Amino acid sequence: MFAYILRRILLMIPTLFGIMVLNFVVIQFAPGGPIEQIIAEIQGTAVGATARIGGSGTGDTGGGGSASSSLGSERTYRGAQGLDPEFIKELEIQFGFDKPAYERFFLMMKNYLMFDFGTSYFRDETVVNLVIEKLPVSISIGLWTTLLVYLISIPLGIAKAVRDGTKFDIWTSSLVIVGNAIPSFLFAVALIVLFAGGAYFNWFPLRGLTSDNWEQLSAFGKITDYLWHIALPVTALVIGGFAALTQLTKNSFLDQISQQYVLTARAKGLSERRVLYGHVFRNAMLIVIAGFPSAFIGILFTGSLLIEVIFSLDGLGLLGFEAAINRDYPVIFATVYVFALLGLVMNLVGDLTYTLVDPRIDFEAREA
């Protein structure tokens, strides 16, 4: 097993490198950039995701700044007429765009290997501090959503498999179809309209994870306030995310129920409950449980993006959205690096989870 883990870790290096190269190339051809954002801000024509953009915020580009300023390309800055060319040249030097593309890329990768992600162009704060500041919000939403999705989908999928073809299976399949067809952000909008003062009831708050007076609340009050705030965002994500796992659980159980060992267990006189939970459950749940790490990462970094924007939750999703709109390259590129690295690690953790669920699996023997 150690040799398999080592091979997978070594394979992560070229994979991560390829992801970064691809994203770097895409950025070179993307319109706009931080310098154009600053010029537009000076001329009063800037349009950003938030009102927080106020200047270059770069200072010097030494140390962490050099890693962040490794993106961009030589551009013709449209709309810069009337500005001193020397001023624009200074901006290029500040952001590091005076260097060749290959030099910017390898300088960035060198710093990223040491987890030096530089400083945000427009927030005057290091990218690491920004991510650490926003991470608890996204982890909170992602963890609750993943747990609830599994707690709902696994029992429902087992019940559908056991009652395959019955009215229960047919009616619950309609719920699964609705959950699979409508994205989470549409459920979020519907929940706001219904329960957050949109048109009917004003039962839940619309912004943040806590109230303004959270610090003055008792311990029980803090827990209640927190759950009150996350109710709608988590509900929207759960409704939009339980369908696929429910179908996966059902199909996995149906596949195992038709196996020969199940027929043999029944022929020995074992009860249906003993057959289902003593034999089928372990094999059927293999793929479901092993996928938990990847499911959590998926919800944490992708599924909650629009939900955070809709509910004004100051997490990683909203941070990435604002960075993309504002062309804050240090934040964009550092988050791509971190998310890709976490995704690769979670894939390895998922494979290792298979061996924990079923020790009979041997990846080294399979590769041999």
Side-chain angles (χ1 to χ4, degrees), residues 237-256:
L237 285 170
V238 170
I239 293 176
F242 85 100
L245 186 59
T246 299
Q247 283 299 105
L248 176 63
T249 303
K250 176 189 174 181
N251 294 335
S252 181
F253 262 78
L254 287 176
D255 179 66
Q256 292 298 320

Side-chain angles (χ1 to χ4, degrees), residues 93-367:
I93 295 174
Q94 279 188 327
F95 284 103
F97 295 159
D98 58 320
K99 301 182 179 67
Y102 71 89
E103 184 177 341
R104 296 195 300 272
F105 176 76
F106 285 107
L107 178 62
M108 176 191 69
M109 293 305 297
K110 174 185 175 182
N111 289 323
Y112 279 20
L113 288 174
M114 297 179 290
F115 291 93
D116 179 3
F117 300 118
T119 304
S120 168
Y121 286 159
F122 303 110
R123 293 174 182 254
D124 291 325
E125 192 171 354
T126 64
V127 175
V128 171
N129 288 341
L130 279 174
V131 172
I132 293 175
E133 178 186 343
K134 313 299 182 184
L135 194 58
V137 175
S138 295
I139 288 180
S140 178
I141 298 297
L143 187 59
W144 279 111
T145 301
T146 307
L147 289 175
L148 288 175
V149 165
Y150 268 75
L151 289 175
I152 294 172
S153 299
I154 292 177
L156 181 59
I158 295 174
K160 286 174 63 63
V162 173
R163 298 171 177 83
D164 185 40
T166 64
K167 290 184 178 180
F168 174 83
D169 182 39
I170 295 172
W171 282 107
T172 53
S173 292
S174 63
L175 297 177
V176 171
I177 291 172
V178 171
N180 197 43
I182 304 178
S184 297
F185 72 89
L186 288 183
F187 281 118
V189 173
L191 291 173
I192 290 174
V193 172
L194 291 174
F195 303 114
Y200 297 94
F201 306 103
N202 190 16
W203 293 347
F204 295 93
L206 189 57
R207 298 177 62 87
L209 283 185
T210 57
S211 300
D212 293 336
N213 63 335
W214 191 80
E215 292 294 339
Q216 285 73 46
L217 297 175
S218 63
F220 178 77
K222 289 181 178 180
I223 295 174
T224 304
D225 183 73
Y226 167 73
L227 295 176
W228 182 46
H229 278 76
I230 69 170
L232 293 188
V234 170
T235 299
L237 285 170
V238 170
I239 293 176
F242 85 100
L245 186 59
T246 299
Q247 283 299 105
L248 176 63
T249 303
K250 176 189 174 181
N251 294 335
S252 181
F253 262 78
L254 287 176
D255 179 66
Q256 292 298 320
I257 288 174
S258 62
Q259 296 296 319
Q260 183 63 43
Y261 74 88
V262 176
L263 298 177
T264 303
R266 287 171 175 167
K268 290 181 178 180
L270 296 180
S271 66
E272 191 65 22
R273 183 178 182 85
R274 177 73 180 277
V275 171
L276 183 62
Y277 293 101
H279 296 272
V280 175
F281 185 84
R282 180 179 182 180
N283 294 321
M285 284 294 97
L286 179 61
I287 189 172
V288 177
I289 297 176
F292 182 89
S294 298
F296 173 67
I297 290 297
I299 293 174
L300 178 62
F301 294 131
T302 59
S304 62
L305 191 155
L306 288 177
I307 299 299
E308 289 184 9
V309 173
I310 292 171
F311 288 99
S312 299
L313 301 174
D314 200 11
L316 291 177
L318 185 60
L319 175 67
F321 171 76
E322 293 176 353
I325 297 299
N326 297 332
R327 300 299 192 270
D328 197 344
Y329 289 158
V331 177
I332 295 174
F333 220 60
T335 51
V336 168
Y337 180 87
V338 173
F339 293 171
L341 181 60
L342 282 175
L344 293 171
V345 172
M346 286 300 104
N347 284 334
L348 176 59
V349 172
D351 285 349
L352 297 179
T353 307
Y354 278 101
T355 62
L356 296 177
V357 177
D358 190 348
R360 295 172 299 176
I361 295 178
D362 188 347
F363 286 106
E364 292 186 4
R366 184 187 64 178
E367 291 186 352

